[in-house]
Amino acid sequence: MAKRTFSTLETFLIFLLVMMTAITVALLSLLFTTSGTIGNHKDSGFHDFSTTQSSLATQGPTASQVSPVTYIPVPPLFQNFSGYHIGVGRADCTGQVSDIDLMGYGKIGQTAQGILTRLYSRAFIMAEPDGSNRTVFVNTDIGMVSQRLRLEVLNRLQSKYGSLYRRDNVVLSGTHTHSGPGGYFQYTIFVIASEGFNNRSFEYMVNGIVKSIEIAHSNMKPGRIFTNKGIVDDTQINRSPSSYLQNPQSERARYSSNIDKEMVVLKMVDLNGDDLGLISWFAIHPVSMNNSNHLVNSDNMGYASYLFEQEKNKGYLPGQGPYVAAFASSNLGDVSPNILGPHCINTGESCDNAHSTCPIGGPTVCIAKGPGRDMIESTQIIGRNIYQRAKELYESASQEVTGPLASAHQWVNMTDVTVRLNSTHTAKTCKPALGYSFAAGTIDGNGGLNFIQGTTEGNSFWDTIRDLLLGKPSDEIKECHKPKPILLPTGEMSKPHPWHPDIVDVQIITLGSLAITAVPGEFTTMSGRRLREAVQAEFATYGMQNMTVVISGLCNVYTHYITTYEEYQAQRYEAASTIYGPHTLSAYIQLFRGLAKAIATDTVANLSRGPEPPFFKQLLSPLISDISDRAPIGRNFGDVLQPAKPEYRVGEVVEVVFVGANPKNSAENQTHSTFLTVERYEDASAAWQIVYNDASWETRFYWHKGILGLSNTTIEWHIPDNAQPGIYRIRYFGHSRKQSILKPATIRSFEATSSSFEVVTA
């Protein structure tokens, strides 16, 4: 392909952008506090976290101070039954819904400006009848689990439960929604992408995850687990089909599709057969909500959870009720829900090519779309497909999961793994680096510049800028990553803290014949297939036949993507984002086989725990500072600026505008559990009944930021077809901040109510 030339105007704009980036990076470096790292976490294996607390207790002002150890006693468990003790729990982990970047697309200016749905952490605890072994699986509506998040959660679990919940038997997985808040990372590239470390949101997430585990722990009861699997159609496409074709034809011939369509479900019931919970694993990117979205939400997988929980928790508001349904990520690396495929938005023609470019407009106009009229409808269509298939598999699940529980975990220095390729050849993983195509983005959300997927050669202009601003990559890292042209040599960038993790978690937990491989990133379709087969074969070699191996993605620490060696050669977005080099997948296969062997041979206790990850001190504070909220002269917070109309029909939208205050105050002072309610007047009780809240997909909460602390809030209720006729009202719950010089800020709650209105049938 001929190299693209830039016009004079484009060159000037690129130069201007680079200069602005340089200034931003310089300012970020100055704002960081470079006080080093806390000592690595010291533990004595899988069963003792006795010294972890002391190392975390000095973490500095950007993270919470650890409370004194107060072990919660483990209640006695009923033992004489066949099955498992099962506990399920769900807790809010939404965090900040304004003045914070959304995590996933990396698009400048995509900040949160309200909420479509709340985010939840869903925890599942399984224990053997005698309580001797237990495992915890947590699925959270966030982009991915960060290392800092996991370390803090483990620390707090240790302070509450001692050695009961540990690094080996607790899995934290992210759904990978791209519409959740960022700011909860410690490695520099993610901190910059989030425009700072946001302790307010971090604490909210940690508290939510820990609370969900506490709820599951407190309601454990004897039960049974069943499993089922089946195909989901019309829901996904491969967004890098040309990369997939790089894999050997003989391997591709074994599969009917270039995506994994299989869903695996776990059905949990008590001994009476009453429903407790569901875990589903399915490979799809939660990017039905595109990078123009500014409302916090859980995307398509969250919508599937919403539908399932509403079905099982009849009479409860969203986010409430005893039943818990988690839809977890899998090997989603090259899988998109935008099933209409990539098209040039200016001409309508297909741009499904190796470089995802259009003849006119280049890569920035090559975008894939979902099946709906807009992104919210697309989210609901895809989410409903996932929910409907899970419901069918759940209802017909009859294969019971039986057998002992086990878990194995290691920390690994992924920059220095020697991989045995065959009997005579070895290879090595690399220090982290991102390639040129990383900056191109994908058909689900492009990078906005003239970077193109499938780039295997560098560009002298960008190379020069990189060398001047960030340093020239060494010959060693360039050689190790070939054929990737290195854009960011993050493994050689350590100021103010390392830009990418060196130490990575690998982990497997088993429930009888089910093995959950907790992978720290986004495996592509074929990468996932190879890992599953290798782990299954390893179990079989040592006597554990017919294991069902599921891949749980985005677990424990985030390391971008993992492609096959062959896909790596094409250097599309996923390959350019495979940060440990071309042999990353082979290294993970080798490591997970080691864990499988240890479980199968009962030698987990002999596994080396590996080098322990760091926990950095004071990180960059958010670039958006806290200021006082102000109401217009003569107005109060919550005053109605645009009232509801007297009457609406089903299918219409109620819209009320209030004098607002910054919603991030509510993440700091959680005296309200929702920003809004829709309430119906009940004649029988002469009282208002809440029928929807801000976790409902029928509501929207928009925050409009003004100048000097002024803001408005718009609340929408999209009246569904099944809404009962009657009298309704909308209520708004907020917090205002008063910031005085030399005095601590004060946050006050307020409430507001719209005028009543009538809903009539069409």
Side-chain angles (χ1 to χ4, degrees):
M1 180 177 178
K3 291 186 178 180
R4 189 182 186 282
T5 59
F6 295 94
S7 68
T8 303
L9 177 60
E10 285 179 314
T11 302
F12 172 78
L13 290 174
I14 291 172
F15 176 79
L16 184 61
L17 176 64
V18 170
M19 291 302 100
M20 292 173 65
T21 302
I23 293 170
T24 301
V25 170
L27 289 173
L28 288 171
S29 298
L30 290 173
L31 286 168
F32 273 95
T33 304
T34 55
S35 53
T37 65
I38 289 180
N40 290 336
H41 298 288
K42 304 293 183 184
D43 73 55
S44 58
F46 293 132
H47 308 292
D48 182 12
F49 262 61
S50 59
T51 59
T52 306
Q53 183 194 349
S54 61
S55 67
L56 281 176
T58 56
Q59 60 192 292
T62 61
S64 66
Q65 297 300 316
V66 177
S67 58
V69 175
T70 53
Y71 293 144
I72 296 177
V74 180
L77 299 177
F78 180 76
Q79 296 186 14
N80 297 319
F81 72 99
S82 174
Y84 301 101
H85 289 282
I86 303 169
V88 302
R90 176 186 54 248
D92 187 285
C93 65
T94 305
Q96 195 167 308
V97 302
S98 63
D99 280 352
I100 192 169
D101 282 15
L102 298 180
M103 188 64 202
Y105 289 110
K107 181 181 178 182
I108 296 174
Q110 193 190 8
T111 56
Q113 297 172 14
I115 185 169
L116 173 58
T117 65
R118 300 200 78 83
L119 308 179
Y120 293 100
S121 174
R122 296 175 171 90
F124 303 82
I125 302 177
M126 288 74 70
E128 293 178 4
D130 63 359
S132 58
N133 291 311
R134 63 178 62 198
T135 58
V136 183
F137 182 82
V138 182
N139 190 54
T140 307
D141 291 327
I142 57 176
M144 60 284 289
V145 177
S146 77
Q147 190 172 81
R148 189 180 194 87
L149 196 66
R150 174 168 164 83
L151 292 174
E152 181 66 11
V153 167
L154 288 176
N155 177 63
R156 296 192 190 184
L157 292 177
Q158 186 272 335
S159 69
K160 289 178 179 290
Y161 301 104
S163 61
L164 192 62
Y165 302 121
R166 315 170 303 269
R167 61 183 173 89
D168 67 303
N169 68 357
V170 175
V171 174
L172 302 184
S173 176
T175 63
H176 203 39
T177 173
H178 284 41
S179 297
Y184 56 98
F185 298 82
Q186 68 173 4
Y187 291 99
T188 300
I189 193 164
F190 305 123
V191 174
I192 291 177
S194 301
E195 296 188 9
F197 174 76
N198 190 302
N199 194 59
R200 182 189 289 116
S201 212
F202 176 80
E203 282 293 312
Y204 203 115
M205 290 180 183
V206 171
N207 290 336
I209 293 171
V210 172
K211 184 177 180 180
S212 69
I213 296 172
E214 290 174 346
I215 295 171
H217 175 86
S218 65
N219 69 14
M220 292 183 71
K221 61 182 66 176
R224 303 169 69 189
I225 300 176
F226 299 87
T227 187
N228 202 359
K229 60 180 72 172
I231 299 301
V232 185
D233 289 319
D234 304 321
T235 304
Q236 325 138 281
I237 62 168
N238 192 307
R239 70 184 188 189
S240 287
S242 60
S243 290
Y244 181 88
L245 290 174
Q246 297 293 311
N247 295 305
Q249 195 280 331
S250 58
E251 182 179 32
R252 290 184 280 112
R254 296 167 50 207
Y255 304 99
S256 60
S257 175
N258 62 1
I259 49 176
D260 274 347
K261 295 185 177 183
E262 187 174 78
M263 173 187 286
V264 177
V265 301
L266 291 186
K267 175 181 181 178
M268 302 176 185
V269 297
D270 65 18
L271 295 184
N272 296 321
D274 294 330
D275 293 318
L276 296 176
L278 156 85
I279 307 176
S280 163
W281 286 274
F282 182 60
I284 192 168
H285 252 87
V287 290
S288 292
M289 299 293 292
N290 62 43
N291 64 9
S292 68
N293 169 59
H294 290 274
L295 296 181
V296 168
N297 70 86
S298 53
D299 212 281
N300 48 46
M301 295 291 258
Y303 189 63
S305 287
Y306 171 84
L307 293 175
F308 217 107
E309 290 179 347
Q310 288 294 97
E311 170 73 20
K312 295 296 184 180
N313 293 321
K314 290 189 183 300
Y316 287 91
L317 289 169
Q320 300 176 15
Y323 189 87
V324 179
F327 284 78
S329 60
S330 190
N331 53 319
L332 49 67
D334 52 0
V335 185
S336 171
N338 294 312
I339 57 177
L340 297 187
H343 289 81
C344 303
I345 58 174
N346 52 354
T347 65
E349 62 186 303
S350 172
C351 49
D352 189 3
N353 54 64
H355 300 285
S356 296
T357 59
C358 295
I360 302 172
T364 59
V365 296
C366 179
I367 297 172
K369 291 187 177 181
R373 291 167 297 179
D374 56 32
M375 58 182 167
I376 292 180
E377 186 178 63
S378 291
T379 300
Q380 294 176 320
I381 291 171
I382 298 299
R384 187 173 293 278
N385 285 355
I386 297 168
Y387 151 76
Q388 190 62 47
R389 190 65 177 118
K391 182 180 178 181
E392 295 167 357
L393 295 172
Y394 184 90
E395 291 174 346
S396 61
S398 59
Q399 181 181 342
E400 186 168 4
V401 177
T402 60
L405 305 179
S407 56
H409 171 277
Q410 283 184 305
W411 282 310
V412 178
N413 183 351
M414 275 302 292
T415 71
D416 190 29
V417 177
T418 299
V419 182
R420 183 168 293 279
L421 301 177
N422 52 46
S423 59
T424 58
H425 290 79
T426 62
K428 296 269 288 187
T429 53
C430 311
K431 293 179 181 179
L434 291 164
Y436 264 68
S437 294
F438 163 76
T442 72
I443 59 173
D444 293 325
N446 59 64
L449 291 173
N450 282 294
F451 289 94
I452 296 175
Q453 292 198 69
T455 299
T456 55
E457 294 183 4
N459 175 282
S460 58
F461 175 79
W462 289 112
D463 284 351
T464 301
I465 296 298
R466 176 205 60 209
D467 295 349
L468 289 173
L469 295 178
L470 304 173
K472 187 176 182 180
S474 67
D475 291 339
E476 174 190 0
I477 200 170
K478 288 193 290 186
E479 183 66 27
C480 190
H481 278 270
K482 282 184 176 178
K484 177 194 293 180
I486 293 176
L487 180 65
L488 296 174
T490 54
E492 296 178 335
M493 298 161 65
S494 58
K495 299 296 184 181
H497 294 303
W499 282 50
H500 268 142
D502 291 342
I503 311 304
V504 171
D505 297 69
V506 290
Q507 183 181 20
I508 295 178
I509 61 175
T510 59
L511 290 72
S513 60
L514 176 75
I516 301 171
T517 55
V519 299
E522 305 179 54
F523 277 59
T524 61
T525 297
M526 194 64 85
S527 292
R529 288 168 174 168
R530 290 184 188 177
L531 178 63
R532 279 199 302 264
E533 285 191 354
V535 170
Q536 186 178 49
E538 194 74 14
F539 276 122
T541 298
Y542 294 95
M544 295 179 68
Q545 304 290 333
N546 302 316
M547 292 290 288
T548 296
V549 179
V550 298
I551 292 176
S552 188
L554 292 306
C555 290
N556 301 333
V557 59
Y558 185 59
T559 62
H560 295 269
Y561 285 74
I562 300 91
T563 64
T564 68
Y565 178 85
E566 294 83 356
E567 291 164 353
Y568 188 90
Q569 308 309 306
Q571 279 299 299
R572 278 180 59 85
Y573 174 82
E574 294 82 11
S577 305
T578 298
I579 62 174
Y580 300 113
H583 301 289
T584 300
L585 174 61
S586 296
Y588 277 125
I589 289 175
Q590 183 173 290
L591 292 164
F592 278 102
R593 287 180 62 182
L595 298 181
K597 178 181 178 181
I599 291 174
T601 59
D602 195 23
T603 57
V604 170
N606 298 333
L607 282 174
S608 166
R609 67 176 181 267
E612 299 149 59
F615 194 95
F616 301 132
K617 288 183 181 178
Q618 304 164 345
L619 300 170
L620 170 68
S621 296
L623 296 183
I624 302 176
S625 60
D626 297 326
I627 63 173
S628 293
D629 293 290
R630 291 195 308 117
I633 296 174
R635 295 280 193 173
N636 297 310
F637 295 112
D639 282 358
V640 176
L641 299 175
Q642 176 185 309
K645 295 188 299 185
E647 183 181 284
Y648 295 89
R649 297 182 181 275
V650 294
E652 294 183 333
V653 179
V654 182
E655 180 179 288
V656 183
V657 181
F658 299 88
V659 175
N662 199 320
K664 71 181 177 184
N665 303 326
S666 298
E668 188 172 335
N669 189 337
Q670 300 171 39
T671 55
H672 299 309
S673 60
T674 181
F675 287 108
L676 67 91
T677 56
V678 178
E679 302 176 1
R680 183 176 183 271
Y681 187 76
E682 300 289 347
D683 291 326
S685 60
W688 291 93
Q689 180 73 32
I690 299 173
V691 289
Y692 299 97
N693 59 17
D694 67 0
S696 304
W697 282 80
E698 293 83 359
T699 62
R700 317 277 191 271
F701 177 90
Y702 297 94
W703 179 64
H704 310 283
K705 188 175 185 177
I707 60 173
L708 301 176
L710 294 170
S711 64
N712 291 342
T713 292
T714 300
I715 294 176
E716 292 181 356
W717 175 35
H718 294 242
I719 307 173
D721 293 339
N722 61 355
Q724 296 182 29
I727 304 301
Y728 289 81
R729 69 181 185 183
I730 289 175
R731 300 189 71 198
Y732 166 35
F733 303 89
H735 293 85
S736 63
R737 172 184 294 272
K738 184 177 182 181
Q739 194 90 39
S740 301
I741 299 175
L742 302 179
K743 291 183 179 180
T746 57
I747 297 177
R748 296 183 175 90
S749 64
F750 63 88
E751 302 177 14
T753 305
S754 76
S755 57
S756 59
F757 54 90
E758 185 176 8
V759 172
V760 298
T761 56

